Every structure is written in C-alpha cells, then in structure tokens.
Amino acid sequence: MASDSSTYDPIPLWINGEAQPTNADTTFPVIQSISGETVHHAQSASSAQAIQAAESSKEAFRSWKRVPHTTRRELIQKVATYYEEHAEEFIKLQMSETSCTEPWARQNVNGSITYLKEIAACVSSVTGVIPQIEKPNTMGFVFKQPIGPILCIAPWNAALILATRGVASAIASGCTVVFKASELCPRTHFEITRAFIAAGVPAGVLNQIQARREEASEVTEALIAHEAIRKIEFIGSAAVGRIIGQLAAKHLKPVLMELGGKGPAIVLDDADLEEAAKFCAMGTVLNHGQICFSTERIIVHAGVAEKFQQLLVKTMEGLGEVAGSAVSESIAQHAQDVLKDSEAKGDSFLVGGVDYSKPLSLKPTIVLEPKDSRIVDEETFGPSASLYVVEDDAAAIERANRTSYGLNATIWSTNMERALNMSKELEYGQVHVNSISAYTSATGSQGGVKGSGFGRQNAKWGLEEFVVDKFVSWHGKATQ
C-alpha cells in the first residue's frame, strides 16, 4: 500500500481487508481547531456496518487464535518498523487533526515504537501453568487462550500511542479487533491500520470504523451488544466510561478502562524546589492539559510553600507557547468554564486567569486553595491546576486521596524511603517520584483505581488483559 495518506479521502471504513465504498451523504468533516479549516473528510459508519466489522472479526478469529506466537511477534515488529519509516508523516497527521505541538506528536511516535517493540518482546511471556491436583493419577492444565474479538475505543488526546498500544496488545495476544477510531483524528488512527496492513495482517484481524458524534452512541451500543465482541477496551473520560460500563454490564461483557484523573503532585520540604516547580508546571500545561496524566493538583509543605510558589509562578509565566492549543472549541470552553466558576466563587489566581492568550489557547493558570468550586475534583483538561499548602506528610496524603479519581500521582523528595512509604498510602495506580506526571514506561503496568478505571496495560500486563484461563484436567483411563 502506498505510504501517502491522501490515497484515501474521505477516510474509509476498513472491513475484512478492504476499504468500503464511500457515500458523500454519510461523511463528516475533520476540522483543525487552530485554523478552523476542514483538513479532510471521513466516512461515518452505520450500525449495520459496525456489525459487519464485528462479524468480520469473529470469522478471522477462528484462524488467528491458532497462529503461532512467533508469527504474531513478527507482525508487531513489522508494525514498529513501519512507524520508524513513516515517523514524519505520523507527526504531521497528529498536528493537522488535533492541533498538538510538534514535540507532543513526536513523543507519541517515539513512545508508540517503544511500546510496539516491548509488546512484541513479551508475546511469549503469556504462559499457562500445571497446577497440583488432589486426585491421584490426575493431571491439570491451565491454558491461556485469547478471549475473542475486541472492541478498542481510542481517544484523540494521545492519538497515536494509546490506540497503538490497545490494538497491538489485543492482536499480539491472538485476538482480533474492531478499532473504533476517534472522530477528531480518524486519519491518524487510519494510519495505524495502514501500518498493520503493510505489515501483513490478515483480512478481518483488524477492522476500523469511525462515526460522527451524532451517531457514535448508536454505533457503539450495536457493537457492544453484538455476540461476537467479547471484551471492550475504552480510554476516555469518566463520564463516557460510565456509559460504556453500563452497556457492557447490560450485555455481560468485561471492560478494560483507563479513565480521567485528578493527579496530585506532592512537594515535600526536602524536595529540589526548582526541579519540582519546573516539572509541576510542565505537567500542568503539556498538550494544553489534555492528558489524563496531567498535574491537576499541587500539594506543597508549608515550610517551603512561599519559595516554591515564586518558582512555580515564574515557570508558568513562560510556558504559554509550550502549552499549545485545545483540540476543539468545546474542549477549550469546558476548561475555561471551570476557571470561570473559580473566579465567580472568589478563588484566588496565583498566575494566569480565565482569558485566552490566543484562540483556543488558555493562559497557564494556578488556582490557590479552592474550596467548593468545580476545579476541586473536576478534570479540567486545560493548562490549569489548583495549589494547596499542608503542614505535614499525613495532611498531604489525605489531601491527595480526597478525590474520586485514582490514576497517577507524583512525589517530590530527596528521601527515597520517605517517598516510597508515602507512595504506599496514595490511592493511585501509578506513583512517580521526582518525575513529570505524564511519565509512562512500556515495561511497567499502567492503569487506574477508583474512578479512573480498572485493568492494566503495557507489556505482559496488557497482553494478559486479552486472554482467559481455561482449566483442563486429565484423569487417565477410566477404570471399573
């Protein structure tokens, strides 16, 4: 297949190894937020077409589940090579669709390549066991088998890396995939599908659809309800996660979810304050705050609060260009509305405010000690955070855990024992010490607790999410 993504315009539905015929009446525009221009169009799937994709995945699963792990590993390795060879195109696609900065797009490409290589390396780590059996002359086997066709619903905010990880993990485990691309970045997501096609993925193993927002819920429910789909992977907001979870429960389907966050950064009194201020600020504004791993709350010890605040303000004031822009007017409006609520309720702004620095780009903002405004426990998805001053470690832990979310947290300290002890008390799936909040590792498990979801991704943990245990016992020859 040609590498030029303009081969397809509008972006088609890809079902059973073929681009489906397009219909001008059912396409939708993909608009770049910072220019307001339509960059291309995409075909919107109907429920019937979504079901067609599910049935294609079911048929392909019959043979794909039997493919040796070496074949699956080689496929993922070839996809990684495709990413390396087409890195600049992946970067341009992300920037054109989501208005992200070049560094953020490049980080997504490099991270995706790392994830793909690690997933390939871990394919053979998914192994069963031979348990002890209490009955004489009997043997037991616990096999790991792929669960079946997977519905992967991917987000736009880390357009490449999150979709790549889910699709690759499922396929590497022996599952087939219906990939529901984001309507905000369908071409970036279609380039993932093209990478798998170029690598030689068999027809039906990876099907891609997308749907305009008005029809997305109907299409998603049709897929979840279909008997072929055996598990759902969803990455997105907690609000939509609840809807997906309810639908999945209705049809008794398991779900792997990574939802929003309200990540705290705890700055202890023995921290390197300059480093802490720099990375807390960057964690707040990176990708205009449109990351579930963003620094949403900063909790600092009283003894160093004044000095830290000075450093934080100075750093935040210089990050306007780094912050970039929102992916859409509605996302920018939500982030601004949260700040306007703080303003209306009398919260103090340590830096920034409710205004845009340019269209769809909010000023990097810190709200000081909010009490009952929306920013206390609502994900802003903008370049803003709240700051709290506490007296001791216990108060810092209590403040950090005072949220419905539990995705990630960071601690700033030069005392490793102190930081590790604190990390055990924090109710989060990830805790990073002396790091930006958006840190992830292809070799470490990733996922949330509480309102941030359940299940784990990355490396062997991600592969295990897409297999099920089957217990088989051998009782020898029957005797009278």
Side-chain angles (χ1 to χ4, degrees):
M1 179 177 289
S3 63
D4 180 9
S5 285
S6 63
T7 303
Y8 291 108
D9 193 358
I11 300 151
L13 311 176
W14 190 268
I15 301 174
N16 200 31
E18 295 181 342
Q20 302 301 294
T22 56
N23 182 340
D25 293 334
T26 54
T27 62
F28 61 91
V30 179
I31 300 171
Q32 184 185 57
S33 66
I34 56 176
S35 67
E37 296 179 357
T38 298
V39 290
H40 43 254
H41 291 78
Q43 187 70 41
S44 182
S46 65
S47 294
Q49 289 169 316
I51 290 172
Q52 183 184 352
E55 291 174 344
S56 171
S57 292
K58 179 181 178 180
E59 181 60 32
F61 180 67
R62 298 180 192 277
S63 56
W64 185 248
K65 67 182 180 180
R66 296 186 175 90
V67 167
H69 76 278
T70 51
T71 301
R72 289 180 269 124
R73 179 171 57 208
E74 289 168 5
L75 175 72
I76 303 302
Q77 289 170 334
K78 289 179 181 178
V79 173
T81 299
Y82 183 98
Y83 277 45
E84 290 173 331
E85 294 173 347
H86 298 82
E88 295 305 317
E89 185 173 355
F90 275 117
I91 291 167
K92 292 176 182 177
L93 288 175
Q94 292 173 85
M95 294 172 67
S96 70
E97 290 190 313
T98 68
S99 299
C100 68
T101 63
E102 189 272 343
W104 177 250
R106 188 171 297 280
Q107 180 179 334
N108 262 254
V109 175
N110 293 337
S112 295
I113 293 168
T114 301
Y115 274 96
L116 285 165
K117 291 181 177 180
E118 186 62 29
I119 290 167
C122 290
V123 167
S124 58
S125 70
V126 181
T127 57
V129 296
I130 301 177
Q132 295 289 333
I133 302 297
E134 75 287 349
K135 182 181 176 183
N137 302 317
T138 303
M139 293 187 68
F141 307 88
V142 178
F143 295 102
K144 299 280 188 179
Q145 295 187 322
I147 192 171
I150 306 297
L151 171 59
C152 289
I153 306 175
W156 52 266
N157 57 323
L160 193 62
I161 195 168
L162 297 179
T164 296
R165 183 186 65 182
V167 169
S169 295
I171 290 176
S173 298
C175 296
T176 54
V177 172
V178 177
F179 175 24
K180 184 177 179 295
S182 169
E183 76 280 4
L184 294 178
C185 58
R187 174 153 283 160
T188 300
H189 282 169
F190 188 60
E191 194 64 15
I192 296 171
T193 298
R194 286 164 62 88
F196 274 87
I197 296 165
V201 70
V205 172
L206 175 57
N207 300 283
Q208 178 177 325
I209 65 168
Q210 57 274 333
R212 52 190 169 198
R213 188 171 292 272
E214 296 83 359
E215 287 138 12
S217 60
E218 178 184 337
V219 167
T220 301
E221 183 164 9
L223 283 167
I224 293 174
H226 196 277
E227 56 88 20
I229 299 298
R230 297 298 176 87
K231 188 168 186 176
I232 302 99
E233 186 217 20
F234 172 76
I235 303 175
S237 70
V240 178
R242 289 188 182 94
I243 297 171
I244 298 294
Q246 289 170 357
L247 288 172
K250 177 181 177 182
H251 299 285
L252 292 178
K253 305 285 179 77
V255 184
L256 167 61
M257 283 192 179
E258 186 178 305
L259 306 177
K262 196 68 182 173
I266 301 173
V267 182
L268 301 183
D269 52 12
D270 62 353
D272 182 328
L273 297 183
E274 290 190 4
E275 285 291 289
K278 179 173 69 174
F279 285 103
C280 284
M282 282 296 298
T284 298
V285 308
L286 190 63
N287 197 33
H288 205 254
Q290 300 167 132
I291 311 171
C292 53
F293 276 63
S294 285
T295 300
E296 289 261 351
R297 295 175 295 152
I298 303 170
I299 302 165
V300 59
H301 267 228
V304 295
E306 184 177 354
K307 183 178 179 181
F308 175 78
Q309 287 180 25
Q310 293 172 354
L311 293 167
L312 181 64
V313 168
K314 182 178 179 181
T315 305
M316 290 285 284
E317 288 175 338
L319 292 179
E321 289 301 317
V322 175
S325 304
V327 69
S328 67
E329 186 174 347
S330 62
I331 295 293
Q333 186 65 57
H334 170 266
Q336 186 184 48
D337 286 347
V338 172
L339 294 177
K340 285 183 175 180
D341 180 69
S342 286
E343 183 181 56
K345 291 177 178 174
D347 292 339
S348 298
F349 288 75
L350 191 63
V351 61
V354 301
D355 298 326
Y356 292 106
S357 58
K358 58 183 179 181
L360 302 187
S361 296
L362 286 160
K363 295 178 179 178
T365 299
I366 299 293
V367 180
L368 186 61
E369 300 273 6
K371 298 293 189 297
D372 59 357
S373 47
R374 289 170 60 182
I375 199 172
V376 171
D377 197 37
E378 183 173 334
E379 191 175 25
T380 67
F381 241 49
S384 55
S386 50
L387 176 71
Y388 301 90
V389 179
V390 295
E391 293 298 326
D392 53 30
D393 289 10
I397 294 169
E398 191 278 331
R399 170 60 70 176
N401 289 340
R402 197 190 303 174
T403 175
S404 58
Y405 294 102
L407 189 57
N408 69 305
T410 60
I411 301 170
W412 288 89
S413 172
T414 55
N415 185 322
M416 185 176 183
E417 181 180 8
R418 184 183 184 189
L420 291 179
N421 286 335
M422 178 176 280
S423 70
K424 296 175 184 178
E425 302 301 318
L426 294 174
E427 298 169 350
Y428 293 86
Q430 292 79 217
V431 180
H432 306 303
V433 181
N434 299 335
S435 168
I436 192 169
S437 57
Y439 173 75
T440 61
S441 171
T443 59
S445 71
Q446 180 176 321
V449 298
K450 300 191 330 188
S452 290
F454 32 80
R456 289 296 180 268
Q457 273 284 18
N458 297 358
K460 65 178 182 179
W461 294 278
L463 297 175
E464 292 276 2
E465 286 287 346
F466 299 108
V467 297
V468 290
D469 290 349
K470 177 178 286 185
F471 176 56
V472 177
S473 62
W474 165 254
H475 299 261
K477 295 182 178 180
T479 58
Q480 294 182 349

